[in-house]
Amino acid sequence: MTTVALDTGVGPLLRSWREQRRISQLELALRADSSARHISFIETGRSRPSEDLILRLAEHLDIPVRERNALLVVAGYAPRYAQTALDDPALGALREGMERLLQGYDPYPALVVDGMYNVVAANRGIAMLLEGVAGHLLAPPLNAMRLTLHPEGLAPRIRNLREWRADLLAQMDRQIALARSAELRELYEEVAGYPAPEGAGRAEGAGAAGSSGGAGENAGAGPASPLPFALPLHIEHGGQVLSFVSSIATFNTPMDVTVAELAIETFLPADRATADHLRSLTS
């Protein structure tokens, strides 16, 4: 994943991160056990920060691990964090743990994506939802955003497509601001430009954001009862309307770029009818 270059010097890069986080030089200095004067000198190129200070500043600015490596390289230091391929034997225990987690979540859908939303692992619940998706979208690497928003993907079956699409695009926009990735920006522009599937207007108008549909509803009817605590995904499957609430988990304090960019997304049934329907498919 290529980083968007904002400047060639470590000082301007740190300044741009600080301004993006809306933190003053004084506040950052206090957090990083430095001085506002020193921070100013670093940002203007009058002082070269030590490797340790760069890492402290990056920590307090919540800069992604990949970008911390970039800051170190620009400043003339070696990268601190490895980027291990997911199929490397060194990550064997991690892969096994993720597989156990996904299998244990069955029959509810769950998947793992990387920083570009490419699917690196998924369970049977996800495979069930992907039934009927166009073959070209299922060719590796599977991309969760394309699968969801493409007119030949899940989009025609998502009953609250307008709300769900807006939420996904907002999520991507936040990630772009954090990671500053040119490839991620290209993906955003691609999926944001997909035309609405035929019939999407009916589906989108069927229910308001935050409403929950039961699995026993007729596929042509809109979602019914309210779900006040989260935006659900309402999706048709086999003539039923299934309702899910998603959650996303990342790894705590990762020391590897690959691991830092992994996210585990799980879909919890938002009603008893959806849970019963999923169990009936795997019983």
Side-chain angles (χ1 to χ4, degrees):
M1 191 160 59
T2 301
T3 299
V4 177
L6 297 181
D7 207 299
T8 56
V10 66
L13 285 172
L14 284 169
R15 182 179 65 243
S16 69
W17 281 110
R18 178 182 61 77
E19 291 174 346
Q20 182 175 316
R21 297 293 187 263
R22 299 182 179 179
I23 298 174
S24 68
Q25 290 180 342
L26 178 59
E27 184 180 357
L28 179 59
L30 291 173
R31 292 183 185 183
D33 193 24
S34 184
S35 69
R37 179 183 176 87
H38 190 34
I39 298 297
S40 177
F41 277 19
I42 290 172
E43 290 185 354
T44 58
R46 296 177 63 184
S47 178
R48 179 173 181 259
S50 67
E51 181 179 8
D52 179 66
L53 181 56
I54 290 175
L55 292 172
R56 290 207 313 274
L57 294 174
E59 179 69 24
H60 291 292
L61 290 172
D62 193 27
I63 297 176
V65 172
R66 180 186 294 274
E67 307 306 318
R68 298 183 193 190
N69 273 348
L71 286 171
L72 289 169
V73 170
V74 168
Y77 301 109
R80 173 65 64 92
Y81 304 97
Q83 184 173 356
T84 310
L86 194 56
D87 59 359
D88 190 287
L91 296 184
L94 177 72
R95 292 195 306 275
E96 292 174 7
M98 291 191 302
E99 288 293 342
R100 285 196 297 271
L101 187 153
L102 296 181
Q103 292 171 13
Y105 205 71
D106 258 343
Y108 307 152
L111 73 163
V112 182
V113 298
D114 63 16
M116 280 293 296
Y117 296 97
N118 291 320
V119 179
V120 299
N123 66 3
R124 291 183 301 169
I126 291 293
M128 176 269 296
L129 289 181
L130 294 182
E131 292 173 3
V133 167
H136 67 92
L137 293 173
L138 298 175
L142 278 72
N143 186 273
M145 290 299 177
R146 291 191 181 101
L147 287 168
T148 304
L149 298 178
H150 196 281
E152 296 179 278
L154 298 178
R157 291 193 279 122
I158 297 176
R159 298 294 298 278
N160 56 337
L161 178 60
R162 179 181 291 112
E163 294 84 6
W164 194 253
R165 176 182 182 276
D167 187 69
L168 290 183
L169 293 179
Q171 179 190 133
M172 291 185 72
D173 199 44
R174 291 191 297 270
Q175 188 65 22
I176 290 167
L178 183 66
R180 298 176 174 179
S181 162
E183 284 97 336
L184 196 56
R185 169 58 65 183
E186 290 175 5
L187 176 64
Y188 175 92
E189 293 174 352
E190 175 191 333
V191 298
Y194 288 157
E198 185 178 352
R202 174 196 60 79
E204 291 173 357
S211 62
S212 172
E217 292 180 295
N218 181 279
S225 60
L227 188 65
F229 54 84
L231 174 68
L233 168 66
H234 299 306
I235 185 168
E236 297 178 13
H237 179 266
Q240 309 291 335
V241 178
L242 306 181
S243 298
F244 298 97
V245 175
S246 73
S247 65
I248 299 175
T250 56
F251 290 92
N252 187 40
T253 319
M255 301 299 290
D256 186 280
V257 173
T258 299
V259 178
E261 295 177 350
L262 293 177
I264 303 170
E265 184 166 14
T266 54
F267 291 85
L268 183 70
D271 54 44
R272 178 63 61 85
T274 296
D276 290 345
H277 179 73
L278 293 175
R279 284 193 290 268
S280 73
L281 294 175
T282 56
S283 62

